[in-house]
Amino acid sequence: MREEEKKRSSQDSSFKRFMKKRWAFPAIYIASAAIILTGVLWYQTSDNATDTDSYDYEATDITGKKYDEPALEVNRAMENFVMPVKDSDSAVIQKQFYDYDGKAEEQEAALVFYNNTYHPNTGIDIATKDGETFDVLAALSGKVTKVEEDSLLGNVIEVEHDKGIVTQYQSVTEMNVEVGDQVEQGDVLAKAGESLFNEEAGVHVHFEIRKDGTPVNPLDFFNKPLSSLQELDTADKADAEENSGATEENDEAAPSEDKSSEESGNTEDEGSAEESADENAGNTDEDESADTEEDPAGTSEDEGQTDDQVEEDTATESTDA
């Protein structure tokens, strides 16, 4: 018992001696502050990790994110539209794009005759000088959104390059792509073929560029970047086409209106002529009646004068006798 009491007393005395030192309390304070700060930092780190796991990456209010529009690759925006053929020098444009603002001769040359009806050409028809088939290339990098077999148009491939901007390839055979494929500019999509819609063109590819469903003239955008088409306002062009169609309808209706006006004018003239004839006829009747009324009176006077002369002659003869 005495030994245990001695140990306790020695421990108490050593603790008291430690606490009496000048650096004891500052050391305790610093150690306690370090422990508390370490605990706070650990708690904050674990809380942030939990929030990150529940973060909504699909939110539309994130800075720099504009709704659900897909990101556009920088190199694709830098690309220029090119003709969908390997050798553009050997290519021949069989039929031009129908421009509603173009000259009458150019518009007539851009009409496609099918099923006894003329249709405006919504793209350009490209063939080679020798009339042989050739590889149809992607005019711009993008994603294939349509691969369709069509006997009338000669099969169709559509590639989307940006939201609302697509290129379309018709009259093709031996198609090498499928829907969902990513193609680079210059990749072979198919071979040029023929179509029932434009048999006169022979072996060719019908190439279109569309923005928001409205076709534009591909020749206006060859060797130009995609951004030039993005800035184009196709709404005004669609309105112009509608106004052009309305003008054509009015022009067709105008001749019939003019003709009706002419017919009505002719009818009025004929009516006035008939009225004039009736008036002339009336005047003639009046003149005749007036002459008839005057003639009997004259005739009576002449007859009276003749009787007087006969009586005078008779009296003269009696006197002579």
Side-chain angles (χ1 to χ4, degrees), residues 26-61:
I28 293 173
Y29 291 148
I30 293 173
S32 300
I35 293 171
I36 293 172
L37 182 60
T38 303
V40 171
L41 293 176
W42 176 82
Y43 177 77
Q44 290 181 349
T45 304
S46 62
D47 192 15
N48 289 338
T50 304
D51 294 342
T52 303
D53 294 339
S54 61
Y55 191 78
D56 185 10
Y57 291 96
E58 297 181 357
T60 59
D61 58 350

Short mmCIF file of all heavy atoms in Angstrom, two decimals, residues 26-61:
data_model
loop_
_atom_site.label_atom_id
_atom_site.label_comp_id
_atom_site.label_asym_id
_atom_site.label_seq_id
_atom_site.Cartn_x
_atom_site.Cartn_y
_atom_site.Cartn_z
N PRO A 26 0.69 27.13 -23.07
CA PRO A 26 0.65 27.47 -24.50
C PRO A 26 0.70 26.23 -25.40
O PRO A 26 0.02 26.19 -26.45
CB PRO A 26 1.88 28.34 -24.69
CG PRO A 26 2.10 28.96 -23.34
CD PRO A 26 1.74 27.91 -22.35
N ALA A 27 1.51 25.26 -25.00
CA ALA A 27 1.59 24.05 -25.81
C ALA A 27 0.25 23.31 -25.84
O ALA A 27 -0.19 22.80 -26.88
CB ALA A 27 2.68 23.13 -25.27
N ILE A 28 -0.44 23.28 -24.69
CA ILE A 28 -1.74 22.62 -24.63
C ILE A 28 -2.76 23.35 -25.51
O ILE A 28 -3.55 22.74 -26.25
CB ILE A 28 -2.23 22.54 -23.18
CG1 ILE A 28 -1.31 21.58 -22.37
CG2 ILE A 28 -3.66 22.05 -23.11
CD1 ILE A 28 -1.60 21.57 -20.88
N TYR A 29 -2.74 24.70 -25.43
CA TYR A 29 -3.67 25.48 -26.24
C TYR A 29 -3.44 25.27 -27.75
O TYR A 29 -4.38 25.10 -28.54
CB TYR A 29 -3.52 26.97 -25.90
CG TYR A 29 -4.01 27.32 -24.51
CD1 TYR A 29 -3.42 28.34 -23.79
CD2 TYR A 29 -5.08 26.62 -23.94
CE1 TYR A 29 -3.86 28.68 -22.50
CE2 TYR A 29 -5.52 26.94 -22.66
CZ TYR A 29 -4.91 27.97 -21.95
OH TYR A 29 -5.34 28.30 -20.69
N ILE A 30 -2.20 25.29 -28.17
CA ILE A 30 -1.87 25.12 -29.59
C ILE A 30 -2.28 23.73 -30.08
O ILE A 30 -2.85 23.57 -31.18
CB ILE A 30 -0.38 25.36 -29.82
CG1 ILE A 30 -0.05 26.85 -29.56
CG2 ILE A 30 0.02 24.97 -31.24
CD1 ILE A 30 1.43 27.15 -29.59
N ALA A 31 -2.00 22.72 -29.27
CA ALA A 31 -2.37 21.36 -29.66
C ALA A 31 -3.88 21.21 -29.77
O ALA A 31 -4.41 20.58 -30.71
CB ALA A 31 -1.81 20.36 -28.65
N SER A 32 -4.62 21.82 -28.82
CA SER A 32 -6.09 21.74 -28.86
C SER A 32 -6.65 22.45 -30.10
O SER A 32 -7.56 21.95 -30.77
CB SER A 32 -6.69 22.36 -27.59
OG SER A 32 -6.22 21.67 -26.43
N ALA A 33 -6.08 23.65 -30.42
CA ALA A 33 -6.55 24.39 -31.59
C ALA A 33 -6.28 23.62 -32.88
O ALA A 33 -7.10 23.59 -33.81
CB ALA A 33 -5.89 25.76 -31.63
N ALA A 34 -5.13 22.97 -32.96
CA ALA A 34 -4.79 22.18 -34.15
C ALA A 34 -5.75 21.02 -34.33
O ALA A 34 -6.21 20.71 -35.45
CB ALA A 34 -3.36 21.67 -34.05
N ILE A 35 -6.11 20.39 -33.22
CA ILE A 35 -7.03 19.25 -33.30
C ILE A 35 -8.42 19.72 -33.76
O ILE A 35 -9.08 19.11 -34.62
CB ILE A 35 -7.11 18.54 -31.94
CG1 ILE A 35 -5.77 17.88 -31.62
CG2 ILE A 35 -8.23 17.50 -31.94
CD1 ILE A 35 -5.68 17.33 -30.22
N ILE A 36 -8.88 20.85 -33.19
CA ILE A 36 -10.21 21.35 -33.56
C ILE A 36 -10.24 21.78 -35.03
O ILE A 36 -11.19 21.49 -35.79
CB ILE A 36 -10.59 22.53 -32.65
CG1 ILE A 36 -10.78 22.03 -31.20
CG2 ILE A 36 -11.86 23.21 -33.14
CD1 ILE A 36 -10.97 23.14 -30.19
N LEU A 37 -9.19 22.50 -35.48
CA LEU A 37 -9.14 22.94 -36.88
C LEU A 37 -9.10 21.77 -37.85
O LEU A 37 -9.76 21.78 -38.90
CB LEU A 37 -7.91 23.84 -37.07
CG LEU A 37 -7.72 24.43 -38.46
CD1 LEU A 37 -8.92 25.31 -38.82
CD2 LEU A 37 -6.44 25.24 -38.54
N THR A 38 -8.34 20.75 -37.49
CA THR A 38 -8.28 19.54 -38.34
C THR A 38 -9.65 18.89 -38.46
O THR A 38 -10.07 18.44 -39.53
CB THR A 38 -7.27 18.55 -37.77
OG1 THR A 38 -5.98 19.18 -37.67
CG2 THR A 38 -7.16 17.32 -38.64
N GLY A 39 -10.40 18.85 -37.37
CA GLY A 39 -11.74 18.26 -37.41
C GLY A 39 -12.71 19.05 -38.28
O GLY A 39 -13.50 18.48 -39.04
N VAL A 40 -12.62 20.40 -38.21
CA VAL A 40 -13.51 21.23 -39.03
C VAL A 40 -13.22 21.06 -40.51
O VAL A 40 -14.13 20.92 -41.35
CB VAL A 40 -13.37 22.71 -38.60
CG1 VAL A 40 -14.11 23.61 -39.57
CG2 VAL A 40 -13.90 22.92 -37.19
N LEU A 41 -11.94 21.06 -40.87
CA LEU A 41 -11.57 20.88 -42.27
C LEU A 41 -11.99 19.52 -42.80
O LEU A 41 -12.46 19.39 -43.94
CB LEU A 41 -10.05 21.06 -42.44
CG LEU A 41 -9.52 22.48 -42.17
CD1 LEU A 41 -7.99 22.49 -42.27
CD2 LEU A 41 -10.10 23.47 -43.17
N TRP A 42 -11.85 18.50 -42.01
CA TRP A 42 -12.26 17.16 -42.44
C TRP A 42 -13.77 17.10 -42.66
O TRP A 42 -14.25 16.49 -43.62
CB TRP A 42 -11.83 16.15 -41.37
CG TRP A 42 -12.31 14.77 -41.68
CD1 TRP A 42 -11.75 13.86 -42.51
CD2 TRP A 42 -13.49 14.15 -41.14
NE1 TRP A 42 -12.48 12.71 -42.54
CE2 TRP A 42 -13.58 12.86 -41.70
CE3 TRP A 42 -14.46 14.55 -40.23
CZ2 TRP A 42 -14.60 11.97 -41.38
CZ3 TRP A 42 -15.48 13.67 -39.93
CH2 TRP A 42 -15.55 12.39 -40.50
N TYR A 43 -14.53 17.76 -41.79
CA TYR A 43 -15.99 17.76 -41.93
C TYR A 43 -16.43 18.48 -43.20
O TYR A 43 -17.30 18.01 -43.94
CB TYR A 43 -16.62 18.42 -40.70
CG TYR A 43 -18.12 18.53 -40.79
CD1 TYR A 43 -18.94 17.42 -40.55
CD2 TYR A 43 -18.74 19.74 -41.11
CE1 TYR A 43 -20.32 17.51 -40.63
CE2 TYR A 43 -20.11 19.85 -41.20
CZ TYR A 43 -20.89 18.72 -40.96
OH TYR A 43 -22.25 18.81 -41.06
N GLN A 44 -15.82 19.63 -43.50
CA GLN A 44 -16.18 20.37 -44.70
C GLN A 44 -15.83 19.59 -45.96
O GLN A 44 -16.59 19.58 -46.93
CB GLN A 44 -15.47 21.73 -44.71
CG GLN A 44 -16.00 22.70 -43.67
CD GLN A 44 -15.29 24.04 -43.73
OE1 GLN A 44 -14.27 24.17 -44.41
NE2 GLN A 44 -15.81 25.02 -43.01
N THR A 45 -14.72 18.94 -45.97
CA THR A 45 -14.31 18.15 -47.14
C THR A 45 -15.28 17.01 -47.41
O THR A 45 -15.68 16.75 -48.54
CB THR A 45 -12.89 17.60 -46.95
OG1 THR A 45 -12.01 18.69 -46.68
CG2 THR A 45 -12.44 16.86 -48.19
N SER A 46 -15.66 16.32 -46.37
CA SER A 46 -16.60 15.20 -46.54
C SER A 46 -17.97 15.70 -46.98
O SER A 46 -18.65 15.08 -47.79
CB SER A 46 -16.71 14.42 -45.22
OG SER A 46 -17.23 15.27 -44.19
N ASP A 47 -18.40 16.87 -46.53
CA ASP A 47 -19.70 17.43 -46.93
C ASP A 47 -19.70 17.82 -48.41
O ASP A 47 -20.66 17.59 -49.15
CB ASP A 47 -20.01 18.64 -46.06
CG ASP A 47 -21.47 19.09 -46.23
OD1 ASP A 47 -22.24 18.30 -46.78
OD2 ASP A 47 -21.79 20.22 -45.83
N ASN A 48 -18.60 18.43 -48.88
CA ASN A 48 -18.50 18.80 -50.29
C ASN A 48 -18.50 17.58 -51.20
O ASN A 48 -19.04 17.60 -52.29
CB ASN A 48 -17.22 19.61 -50.53
CG ASN A 48 -17.32 21.01 -49.92
OD1 ASN A 48 -18.41 21.51 -49.70
ND2 ASN A 48 -16.17 21.61 -49.62
N ALA A 49 -17.88 16.53 -50.78
CA ALA A 49 -17.88 15.29 -51.57
C ALA A 49 -19.28 14.74 -51.73
O ALA A 49 -19.69 14.27 -52.78
CB ALA A 49 -16.97 14.26 -50.92
N THR A 50 -20.08 14.83 -50.66
CA THR A 50 -21.46 14.37 -50.74
C THR A 50 -22.28 15.23 -51.70
O THR A 50 -23.07 14.72 -52.50
CB THR A 50 -22.10 14.40 -49.35
OG1 THR A 50 -21.31 13.62 -48.46
CG2 THR A 50 -23.52 13.85 -49.39
N ASP A 51 -22.09 16.58 -51.69
CA ASP A 51 -22.81 17.45 -52.60
C ASP A 51 -22.42 17.21 -54.05
O ASP A 51 -23.24 17.30 -54.95
CB ASP A 51 -22.54 18.92 -52.24
CG ASP A 51 -23.13 19.27 -50.87
OD1 ASP A 51 -24.00 18.51 -50.41
OD2 ASP A 51 -22.69 20.28 -50.27
N THR A 52 -21.17 16.88 -54.32
CA THR A 52 -20.72 16.63 -55.68
C THR A 52 -21.39 15.41 -56.27
O THR A 52 -21.75 15.37 -57.44
CB THR A 52 -19.19 16.44 -55.69
OG1 THR A 52 -18.58 17.60 -55.15
CG2 THR A 52 -18.69 16.22 -57.11
N ASP A 53 -21.63 14.39 -55.46
CA ASP A 53 -22.28 13.18 -55.95
C ASP A 53 -23.72 13.46 -56.36
O ASP A 53 -24.25 12.81 -57.25
CB ASP A 53 -22.24 12.10 -54.87
CG ASP A 53 -20.81 11.64 -54.60
OD1 ASP A 53 -19.96 11.85 -55.48
OD2 ASP A 53 -20.56 11.11 -53.49
N SER A 54 -24.38 14.43 -55.71
CA SER A 54 -25.79 14.73 -56.02
C SER A 54 -25.94 15.91 -56.96
O SER A 54 -27.02 16.45 -57.10
CB SER A 54 -26.55 15.02 -54.72
OG SER A 54 -26.00 16.15 -54.06
N TYR A 55 -24.86 16.33 -57.60
CA TYR A 55 -24.90 17.51 -58.49
C TYR A 55 -25.60 17.16 -59.80
O TYR A 55 -25.37 16.09 -60.37
CB TYR A 55 -23.48 18.00 -58.76
CG TYR A 55 -23.41 19.34 -59.43
CD1 TYR A 55 -23.61 20.51 -58.69
CD2 TYR A 55 -23.19 19.46 -60.80
CE1 TYR A 55 -23.56 21.75 -59.29
CE2 TYR A 55 -23.15 20.70 -61.40
CZ TYR A 55 -23.33 21.83 -60.63
OH TYR A 55 -23.29 23.07 -61.25
N ASP A 56 -26.45 18.04 -60.30
CA ASP A 56 -27.20 17.83 -61.53
C ASP A 56 -26.43 18.44 -62.70
O ASP A 56 -26.46 19.65 -62.92
CB ASP A 56 -28.59 18.48 -61.42
CG ASP A 56 -29.45 18.17 -62.63
OD1 ASP A 56 -29.04 17.31 -63.45
OD2 ASP A 56 -30.53 18.78 -62.76
N TYR A 57 -25.74 17.56 -63.42
CA TYR A 57 -24.94 18.04 -64.55
C TYR A 57 -25.80 18.40 -65.76
O TYR A 57 -25.33 19.03 -66.68
CB TYR A 57 -23.91 16.98 -64.95
CG TYR A 57 -22.82 16.79 -63.92
CD1 TYR A 57 -22.91 15.78 -62.99
CD2 TYR A 57 -21.74 17.65 -63.89
CE1 TYR A 57 -21.92 15.61 -62.04
CE2 TYR A 57 -20.74 17.49 -62.94
CZ TYR A 57 -20.83 16.47 -62.02
OH TYR A 57 -19.85 16.31 -61.09
N GLU A 58 -27.07 17.99 -65.77
CA GLU A 58 -27.95 18.26 -66.90
C GLU A 58 -28.76 19.54 -66.72
O GLU A 58 -29.62 19.85 -67.53
CB GLU A 58 -28.91 17.09 -67.12
CG GLU A 58 -28.20 15.79 -67.47
CD GLU A 58 -29.18 14.67 -67.70
OE1 GLU A 58 -30.40 14.93 -67.50
OE2 GLU A 58 -28.76 13.57 -68.07
N ALA A 59 -28.49 20.30 -65.67
CA ALA A 59 -29.23 21.53 -65.45
C ALA A 59 -28.91 22.53 -66.55
O ALA A 59 -27.80 22.58 -67.08
CB ALA A 59 -28.87 22.12 -64.08
N THR A 60 -29.92 23.35 -66.89
CA THR A 60 -29.75 24.31 -67.98
C THR A 60 -29.33 25.69 -67.50
O THR A 60 -29.14 26.58 -68.31
CB THR A 60 -31.08 24.45 -68.75
OG1 THR A 60 -32.09 24.88 -67.84
CG2 THR A 60 -31.48 23.13 -69.37
N ASP A 61 -29.20 25.86 -66.18
CA ASP A 61 -28.82 27.17 -65.65
C ASP A 61 -27.34 27.26 -65.33
O ASP A 61 -26.91 28.18 -64.63
CB ASP A 61 -29.64 27.50 -64.40
CG ASP A 61 -29.48 26.46 -63.30
OD1 ASP A 61 -28.89 25.40 -63.60
OD2 ASP A 61 -29.94 26.71 -62.17
#
